[in-house]
Amino acid sequence: KKKPLFSKAQKRNVGRDADPFDWAEEWNSEEVRKLKYHRCTDLGRALLARLQRKRTAQGAFDLLLSLKAWSIHEDTALLRSGFPVRFTEEELEASGEAEGNGR
């Protein structure tokens, strides 16, 4: 039997008066991993509403721009693809060596 992504209490708290950060302490890495496959926009919309932003994808994008988490030229298709976008120092060094060997 699959464990639900959100508890009944979490689902009840989603709305205009809910604190969008109440759920954060209850999550573990397995639940975060599931977000790639299960898209629940209720918490995101609750956060956007609390911040008095449009509850749309554009509203979320604009929020990330204003927080300077993203640039206007952010490659959202790459982010959605699931390809890694952050690398360890060892991986960056190996790529630099490979680039130098290819010349």
Side-chain angles (χ1 to χ4, degrees):
K1 183 179 174 184
K2 282 188 172 182
K3 181 182 171 191
L5 185 60
F6 298 103
S7 69
K8 289 181 183 178
Q10 288 168 324
K11 289 179 183 177
R12 272 195 308 271
N13 287 333
V14 173
R16 292 186 187 269
D17 298 330
D19 184 351
F21 298 106
D22 283 346
W23 54 268
E25 294 174 2
E26 298 176 22
W27 276 33
N28 61 35
S29 61
E30 177 64 18
E31 290 170 330
V32 172
R33 186 188 64 75
K34 290 178 188 177
L35 285 177
K36 183 175 179 181
Y37 305 104
H38 177 82
R39 195 175 301 200
C40 179
T41 58
D42 294 341
L43 293 172
R45 287 184 184 172
L47 173 64
L48 290 170
R50 189 67 156 303
L51 297 173
Q52 299 179 345
R53 299 270 185 161
K54 291 181 182 178
R55 290 179 289 272
T56 63
Q58 185 64 48
F61 184 82
D62 292 341
L63 174 62
L64 290 167
L65 286 179
S66 66
L67 293 172
K68 298 186 175 157
W70 283 2
S71 75
I72 190 74
H73 304 291
E74 194 69 34
D75 190 351
T76 55
L78 176 62
L79 296 174
R80 281 191 300 270
S81 73
F83 288 107
V85 293
R86 293 189 180 117
F87 303 97
T88 65
E89 286 297 320
E90 293 173 350
E91 292 169 329
L92 292 172
E93 288 174 13
S95 70
E97 291 173 12
E99 183 179 10
N101 290 338
R103 291 182 184 176

